[in-house]
Amino acid sequence: MAAAPRSRCDEPLVALAFLIACLWLCCAAVVADGTPWFWGGGGDPYCLTWRVMVEANNAKAWRTVPPQCVAYVAAYMAWGQYYRDVGAAAGLAAAYAAQIDMNADADDAWVLDVDDTCLSNQPYYQARQFGPYDPAAFKAWASRGACPGIPAVQWLFQTLKRRGFRVFLVTGRDEETLGPSTAANLLATGFSGYDRLIMRGSASRGASSVAFKSAVRKQLVADGYRIRGNVGDQWSDLQGDCVGDRAFKLPNPMYFVP
Amino acid sequence: MAAAPRSRCDEPLVALAFLIACLWLCCAAVVADGTPWFWGGGGDPYCLTWRVMVEANNAKAWRTVPPQCVAYVAAYMAWGQYYRDVGAAAGLAAAYAAQIDMNADADDAWVLDVDDTCLSNQPYYQARQFGPYDPAAFKAWASRGACPGIPAVQWLFQTLKRRGFRVFLVTGRDEETLGPSTAANLLATGFSGYDRLIMRGSASRGASSVAFKSAVRKQLVADGYRIRGNVGDQWSDLQGDCVGDRAFKLPNPMYFVP
């Protein structure tokens, strides 16, 4: 059979088919992924609601990302909106810090969490599709000391130091097993010049995060520091005793620490 | 001049032009409004970040919606995502309430705020383009007693009552001027059978919302009630003394009450 003769009408038809395919792909990306690349993180209404419930601390004690939101969270973390949100929180923290009337005794302090506050575990959780917490696997990841620094918090850290605050990094990571790798990871990502890195020792092993961090902050206050600000990605960083004059909740839809 | 002869090629060209116009309109809606109707509320990345900062209580003491987010907030409130978010928070509150071990003494209580918790002020703020607080205009609006009920909270209210909780409605509205209209508005929207509507009296005029509501909750606890849950659209509803065993923050990007 001979091919049908090609008329000049075909060109717009091909363009039309191409446009329809583009529209279809775009819609499919929205339905499947929650967040097309050009959007920046709004995306799937259900998963957006879930994320806001997490950030407002309504969705307490959730175990893992809902299965239908795994791709949404991956897109949120990787495609810009997460960095926009961290940047906004860091900006608000810096603006607040800038208007604090500093004490001449240099006892004005800030408390910063480490995991997903200073250092990002996004590569680890992304590779595991935000699956449930696996202590051995996480220890293996953290002991590599290869967590990327989170740019907006690196900037906030330097801003706080320049302003004269004493900065304490407080983390639930185990001091004995992860002490050297955590300190090296922090140094390599520009977190140097902090007052102290306070990790979980044998005495506080098994305590909840709220109990451990409350005890640390209480001790800081007993030592004469005034906790002006407190930054963490978990509500358990920001609740309990001596939480500080003001708390800043960084976004984290990847996991929940009770 | 004679019209050019119409060829069969024109039809796909017209369709192509139509599709391009649709795409352009869609993009324009996104850029201008933040939220196209089919999307449900993600929308503009900047305004989404701002809204999440509000809900996580990072953006404290904001005065009005940022000018570039007025259309975004209007779309969020009207096009579904707000109702999705309120519904999710009400669902989480009901799930928590369902697993509470009720006291035989029937002293298990819930505290609900009124404005933008039970009753919606969206029509008022929308008409004013979310402008700054105007006490006289708000009083005129509230005294009409025409606030719509918020469906998910109407459902939560009935669910709590059926389960046997004592429900207290606590509002910063002035009792003397807005008492009758508020009570009538609540009744007309299905909020009946609550234990008490507690409004701001002459003694608490001028106190901050946190101070007024803390004093009310303290009195409830002194009266023997156990505050099991606390629902409000402002962080000032949920902070201070005797906040309850668990707090639920309903979304509100329209205004901030200190």
Side-chain angles (χ1 to χ4, degrees):
Chain A
M1 253 173 83
R6 208 181 142 89
S7 87
R8 284 180 55 208
C9 285
D10 283 356
E11 278 171 36
L13 276 176
V14 167
L16 187 61
F18 181 72
L19 255 176
I20 290 171
C22 286
L23 268 177
W24 184 86
L25 266 176
C26 167
C27 291
V30 170
V31 172
D33 239 356
T35 317
W37 62 269
F38 57 84
W39 204 267
D44 179 82
Y46 172 85
C47 297
L48 175 56
T49 290
W50 175 78
R51 183 164 72 78
V52 172
M53 292 300 112
V54 166
E55 293 309 324
N57 203 23
N58 288 331
K60 269 191 157 84
W62 52 280
R63 297 212 174 162
T64 57
V65 173
Q68 66 267 46
C69 298
V70 165
Y72 170 90
V73 169
Y76 168 73
M77 293 301 297
W79 289 352
Q81 192 65 18
Y82 167 73
Y83 290 97
R84 230 173 248 124
D85 290 353
V86 176
L92 288 162
Y96 159 72
Q99 51 85 39
I100 289 175
D101 195 15
M102 304 288 288
N103 197 320
D105 297 344
D107 56 7
D108 295 292
W110 276 67
V111 171
L112 269 61
D113 170 54
V114 173
D115 282 298
D116 295 294
T117 298
C118 296
L119 302 178
S120 174
N121 294 306
Q122 182 268 344
Y124 168 80
Y125 282 98
Q126 168 68 60
R128 302 171 61 84
Q129 291 285 292
F130 312 102
Y133 181 60
D134 176 340
F138 184 79
K139 190 183 281 179
W141 154 257
S143 61
R144 286 172 49 199
C147 300
I150 296 178
V153 183
Q154 292 168 323
W155 170 83
L156 174 64
F157 174 82
Q158 299 299 343
T159 304
L160 293 173
K161 283 215 316 143
R162 261 199 310 278
R163 182 96 169 89
F165 288 101
R166 318 286 293 259
V167 181
F168 295 90
L169 307 185
V170 180
T171 172
R173 286 188 180 194
D174 184 66
E175 184 156 26
E176 198 184 311
T177 51
L178 292 175
S181 62
T182 303
N185 200 158
L186 286 164
L187 187 63
T189 50
F191 292 96
S192 64
Y194 48 80
D195 260 63
R196 254 165 75 205
L197 167 63
I198 304 174
M199 304 182 73
R200 203 187 272 267
S202 51
S204 50
R205 220 168 274 160
S208 74
S209 176
V210 170
F212 162 64
K213 296 197 168 185
S214 288
V216 167
R217 289 189 305 258
K218 257 177 158 163
Q219 188 56 53
L220 289 176
V221 171
D223 292 348
Y225 295 104
R226 304 198 296 172
I227 303 177
R228 298 311 202 110
N230 185 358
V231 183
D233 64 296
Q234 299 289 328
W235 279 98
S236 55
D237 298 331
L238 311 174
Q239 294 182 325
D241 302 316
C242 305
V243 289
D245 296 345
R246 203 165 146 187
F248 295 89
K249 168 72 176 72
L250 302 187
N252 187 349
M254 301 189 292
Y255 59 87
F256 175 86
V257 177
Chain B
M1 251 174 78
R6 204 181 147 87
S7 88
R8 283 179 56 209
C9 284
D10 282 356
E11 278 171 36
L13 277 175
V14 167
L16 187 60
F18 182 71
L19 255 176
I20 290 171
C22 286
L23 268 177
W24 185 86
L25 266 176
C26 167
C27 290
V30 169
V31 171
D33 238 356
T35 315
W37 63 270
F38 59 84
W39 203 267
D44 180 81
Y46 172 84
C47 298
L48 175 55
T49 290
W50 176 77
R51 183 164 71 79
V52 171
M53 292 301 112
V54 166
E55 293 309 324
N57 204 22
N58 288 331
K60 270 189 157 88
W62 52 279
R63 297 213 175 162
T64 56
V65 173
Q68 66 267 49
C69 297
V70 165
Y72 170 91
V73 169
Y76 168 75
M77 294 301 296
W79 289 351
Q81 191 66 17
Y82 168 72
Y83 290 98
R84 230 173 249 124
D85 289 352
V86 176
L92 288 162
Y96 159 72
Q99 50 85 39
I100 289 176
D101 196 16
M102 303 288 286
N103 197 321
D105 297 343
D107 56 7
D108 295 292
W110 276 67
V111 171
L112 270 61
D113 170 54
V114 173
D115 281 301
D116 294 295
T117 297
C118 297
L119 302 178
S120 174
N121 294 307
Q122 182 268 343
Y124 169 80
Y125 283 99
Q126 166 69 60
R128 301 171 62 82
Q129 291 287 292
F130 313 102
Y133 181 61
D134 175 340
F138 184 80
K139 189 183 280 182
W141 154 257
S143 62
R144 285 173 49 201
C147 301
I150 296 178
V153 183
Q154 291 169 323
W155 170 83
L156 174 64
F157 175 81
Q158 299 298 342
T159 303
L160 293 174
K161 284 215 317 141
R162 262 199 310 278
R163 182 97 168 89
F165 288 101
R166 318 285 293 261
V167 180
F168 295 90
L169 306 185
V170 180
T171 173
R173 286 188 180 194
D174 184 65
E175 185 156 27
E176 197 184 313
T177 50
L178 292 175
S181 63
T182 303
N185 200 158
L186 286 165
L187 187 64
T189 50
F191 292 95
S192 64
Y194 50 80
D195 260 63
R196 253 167 75 207
L197 167 62
I198 304 172
M199 303 183 72
R200 204 187 272 267
S202 53
S204 50
R205 221 167 275 161
S208 75
S209 176
V210 171
F212 163 64
K213 295 198 169 187
S214 288
V216 168
R217 290 188 305 258
K218 257 178 159 164
Q219 187 57 52
L220 289 177
V221 170
D223 292 347
Y225 294 104
R226 303 198 298 173
I227 302 177
R228 299 309 204 110
N230 185 357
V231 183
D233 64 297
Q234 298 290 328
W235 279 98
S236 55
D237 297 331
L238 310 174
Q239 293 182 326
D241 301 318
C242 305
V243 289
D245 296 346
R246 206 168 143 182
F248 295 88
K249 167 73 175 73
L250 303 188
N252 188 347
M254 300 189 294
Y255 59 87
F256 175 87
V257 178

